[in-house]
Structures are given as C-alpha cells and as structure tokens.
C-alpha cells in the first residue's frame, strides 16, 4: 500500500461536490478525476492529500456539445472520448491532431481533459492547443460561476486559476475559421511522453496572403507560450519561405530557453525553431489547399 | 468502506481502506496474482485490467472506486474448461512472451483491442500496445500473436 491515508468522498451531484470543496477548502483536499497524474504522485507520496473528492460519478460533466459559436467540452470527458468525438474531428482538427501525442490508449481511457489542464504540466499538449485556440474555462464553486480565458487560466508550472474551493466544469473553444489550416507536432523522448517542445499552429490564408495566425509553443516556458512575435510577423504577409523563417526567428529571439539535465537550452531552441518553421509551413499549405 | 464489485463475472463484496490500490486489492485481498505490478506509477502497463470494458492501469485506481464496476483480469480469459483462450494460445504459438512479466497487461490490452470493430494492421497493433513495456521480446512476436488472434477471430465470425 503506497499512498498515505486519506478520507474518501464520492459526491453524486455537482452541487454536493461543490459543497464538499467548500467545506474542505482548508484541508488540503484534492479532486480525483481520471487519476492518471494525481495517483502516481500519491503512490510516490509526493502528494499526500488528506481528503480525496472523487468526481467520477458526475456523469453530467462528461460531454462534447455544439453551443452557438463554441464547442463545449465537459471537464470529466475522458481523453479518448474527446479525441474520437465527431464534433472534435470536424471543428477542432488541431485538438484531434494533438491528441495523437497524448500518452497511451489506456491512460486516455481514464484521464480527463479537465484533469489534464488543471494539472497544468508545462509540456502537456492539450494546454498548448487550448492556448492557441483562445479557449475559455468555466469554474464553479458554491459562491458562483466564473469564466476565464487561457491567458488567465494557466498561471505557471502546475498552477492554474482554479482555487482550492473551486471545480473546473467546462472548457469552451470558439469554433475556428473552417478554412484555416492546422498543424501540430512535437519532439519527445518516446511516443506518448510529454513533449520536450510542441508547436500548435492554425493559419487562415487567402490567395497566398496570411489573414490570421494563432500559434502556441509548449515546453519552453512555465506554461504554454502564445507565439505573438511569430503571429505578428505572419499576419498580412505573403506566404514564402523567407517570411516563415523570419517569423520563427523573431519568436525564438523573444524566448530565453532553459537548461535541463540532459537537454541543453541550445537543443531546445533549435528544436523549437525547426518545429515552428515546419508547422507554420504545414498549416499554411493546408490553408492554401482549402481556398 | 464496503464495495460491491464483479470480478471476472463473480459478484463480491469487500471492505477496503480508501488508499488500497486496485492492483493490491486484486493480488493481496483476492489472491488474483495474475495481474502483475511493475512500476506502480502508470508507466509500464503490466497491471492493466479491464474496468467496465475499458483498459485501466490498476495501480492508478483505488479499490473504493470499483463500487458497482465490472472488472476483468487475466484470470478471466481462461476458457470454462481451463484451456487457454485463443488469444492466450496465440501468444504461446507465436512466442509472444519470454519472461512473462508484461504478458497479463499485454493480454488485457489486446483483449480490448480485439473487441473493437475494424481490421487490425501491424501499425495499429503497435500503437495499441505502445503503453505496455516488454523488455524481452522486442515486441515483434507480440504483434504477431495479436494479429494472428485477430485474423482467426475474423475468420470465425465471417
């Protein structure tokens, strides 16, 4: 038996879960969803929560829905259910593409999109895509509901806007321009591992002219980075190799890369630059084809 | 706390401490030592079982979470007469195991895969077992075993 002892609570409704979170706000309570990040940390005793609030019975938090101009995804939706959902395949191809790199099938059977983003690993794929696509996060507590954008949601390594008494209930993703081209690629040590660097790109172009560009880079800072320098360099420009290389170079210059054991800052920089160029080119080519 | 759970078709009730992991529940409380424990943090796949028909790492679930669930372990694969199932026999025939440590997890992962619709190809099988580590075989014979079992199953239902 590995984890330290804890009290186990299994609310049957969202209201009950929010009440428990409120009651235990000062008790080091943790929400248990898929458990694919929390339970390993408990097995190592890196995490020793005193109360576990198991939300797996809140089946009304597992859905993918069209809602006006958004696709809404319930926080408890399992990765595999998001990845294979027809609405995601049709309207959010960038997310579907990124999911090919998220862990392994069995982990995706249990892991949830809400748990993934609240865990907020800096190298995780889904947060990078949600940052690129301007997602909004619906957070509830007994005190009410609030909605925050990606920039205010992801705050740093393992840190989000969700307070101890709050529950992430839903993620809303504005439906992207249907004519846009997308590309996601990462470099990792083994397939299924978190990325060393990942890049997500969505580009809309008309007659060779770039109308819009949304780009995020994972793994290079404490949270997924919105590549504003590259975006600015691309929008309004005519598609060419020179433009793509200049955009990538401008972005790389704006990042201070960090050293990690076995992975130098220089390697991470070169990888980020190569992935930026490659993904911008691929997304632009797909955007071009759709016109 | 008390849980009611169906293990390999047999309903049981048990009293468990909240922190008891499913893999330890299966092995230590129920004597089902076919489920192997490797890394104990969700990386190696040796402890894979089916929970309500979907594969899960039994080292990353608490027994308390099984209340009302149906669990299948490698012990449940055996045919009623005690013979190896076609999938297990295919692992034997194709040399899909050497030391056998990863085999229960491989078998349960392959069981879920073979229940899904669609034709299997080599690339698909490799992707499906990518979350299960094997340090002996080099994987090729495991892929052979699963592909052979899939082909035999398709011929039988055709």
């Amino acid at each position: 038996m590995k984890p330290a002892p804890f009290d186990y609570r299994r609310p049957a409704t969202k209201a009950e879960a929010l009440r428990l979170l409120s009651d235990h706000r000062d008790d080091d309570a943790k929400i248990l969803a898929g458990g694919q990040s929390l339970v390993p940390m408990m097995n190592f005793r890196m995490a020793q929560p005193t109360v576990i609030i198991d939300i797996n019975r809140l089946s009304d938090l597992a859905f993918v829905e069209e809602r006006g101009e958004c696709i809404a995804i319930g926080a408890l939706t399992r990765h595999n259910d998001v990845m294979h959902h027809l609405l995601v395949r049709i309207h959010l191809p960038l997310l579907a593409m990124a999911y090919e790199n998220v862990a392994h099938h069995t982990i995706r059977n249990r892991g949830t999109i809400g748990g993934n983003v609240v865990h907020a690993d800096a190298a995780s794929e889904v947060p990078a895509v949600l940052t690129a696509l301007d997602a909004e996060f619906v957070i509830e507590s007994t005190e009410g509901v609030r909605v925050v954008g990606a920039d205010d949601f992801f705050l740093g390594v393992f840190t989000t806007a969700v307070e101890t008494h709050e529950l992430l209930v839903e993620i809303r993703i504005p439906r992207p321009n249907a004519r846009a081209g997308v590309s996601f690629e990462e470099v990792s040590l083994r397939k299924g591992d978190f990325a060393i660097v990942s890049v997500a790109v969505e580009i809309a172009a008309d007659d060779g002219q770039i109308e819009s560009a949304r780009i995020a880079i994972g793994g290079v800072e404490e949270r997924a980075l919105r590549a504003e320098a590259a975006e600015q360099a691309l929008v309004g420009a005519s598609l060419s190799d020179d433009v793509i290389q200049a955009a990538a170079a401008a972005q790389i210059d704006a990042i201070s890369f960090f050293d990690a054991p076995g992975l130098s800052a220089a390697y991470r920089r070169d990888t980020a630059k190569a992935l930026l160029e490659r993904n911008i080119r691929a997304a632009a080519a797909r955007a071009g084809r759709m016109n | 706390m008390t849980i009611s759970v169906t293990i390999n078709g047999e309903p049981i009730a048990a009293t468990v401490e909240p922190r008891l992991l499913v893999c330890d529940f299966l092995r230590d409380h129920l004597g089902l030592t076919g489920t192997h424990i490797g890394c104990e943090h969700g990386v190696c796949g040796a402890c894979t079982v089916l929970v309500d028909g979907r594969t899960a790492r039994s080292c990353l679930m608490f027994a308390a979470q099984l209340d009302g669930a149906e669990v299948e372990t490698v012990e449940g694969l055996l045919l009623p007469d005690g013979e190896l199932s076609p999938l297990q026999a295919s692992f034997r025939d194709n040399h899909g195991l050497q030391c056998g440590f990863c085999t229960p997890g491989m078998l349960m992962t392959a069981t879920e895969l073979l229940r899904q619709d669609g034709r299997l190809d080599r690339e698909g099988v490799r992707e499906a077992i990518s979350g299960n580590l094997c340090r002996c075989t080099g994987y090729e014979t495991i892929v052979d075993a699963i592909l052979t079992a899939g082909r035999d199953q398709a011929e039988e239902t055709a």
Side-chain angles (χ1 to χ4, degrees), chain A residues 2 43 57 105-106 109, chain B residues 19 24 40 55 67 112 130:
Chain A
K2 279 71 67 172
N43 286 356
R57 297 285 160 107
H105 173 81
T106 299
N109 266 348
Chain B
R19 62 172 167 160
D24 293 323
E40 304 187 58
T55 50
D67 194 23
E112 184 189 35
S130 65

Side-chain angles (χ1 to χ4, degrees), chain A residues 1-3 5-6 8 10 32 36 39-40 43-45 54 56-57 81 104-107 109-110 191, chain B residues 1 17-21 24 40-42 54-57 59-62 64-65 67 112 127 130-131:
Chain A
M1 189 168 301
K2 279 71 67 172
F6 55 84
Y8 177 77
R10 188 172 59 211
L32 173 62
Q36 305 300 290
V39 182
N43 286 356
F44 284 125
R45 298 206 178 190
D54 178 356
N56 281 283
R57 297 285 160 107
D81 295 335
H104 304 281
H105 173 81
T106 299
I107 301 285
N109 266 348
R110 288 219 48 94
K191 180 153 190 313
Chain B
M1 63 178 292
E17 206 183 332
R19 62 172 167 160
L20 180 69
L21 296 167
D24 293 323
E40 304 187 58
H41 66 289
R54 296 175 89 169
T55 50
R57 306 283 206 233
C59 72
L60 298 186
M61 273 187 86
F62 297 109
Q65 295 183 271
D67 194 23
E112 184 189 35
E127 173 68 28
S130 65

Side-chain angles (χ1 to χ4, degrees), chain A residues 224-275:
Chain A
L225 164 75
R226 190 65 186 264
E228 286 168 2
E231 292 176 0
Q232 281 164 19
L234 289 170
V235 174
S238 297
L239 266 174
S240 72
D241 270 352
D242 285 349
V243 165
I244 291 171
Q245 280 167 16
Q251 186 60 54
I252 294 305
D253 288 345
I255 302 170
S256 40
F257 291 89
F258 60 92
D259 275 309
L263 276 173
S264 68
Y267 176 81
R268 211 179 282 269
R269 182 176 57 235
D270 290 348
T271 305
K273 187 155 184 287
L275 283 178

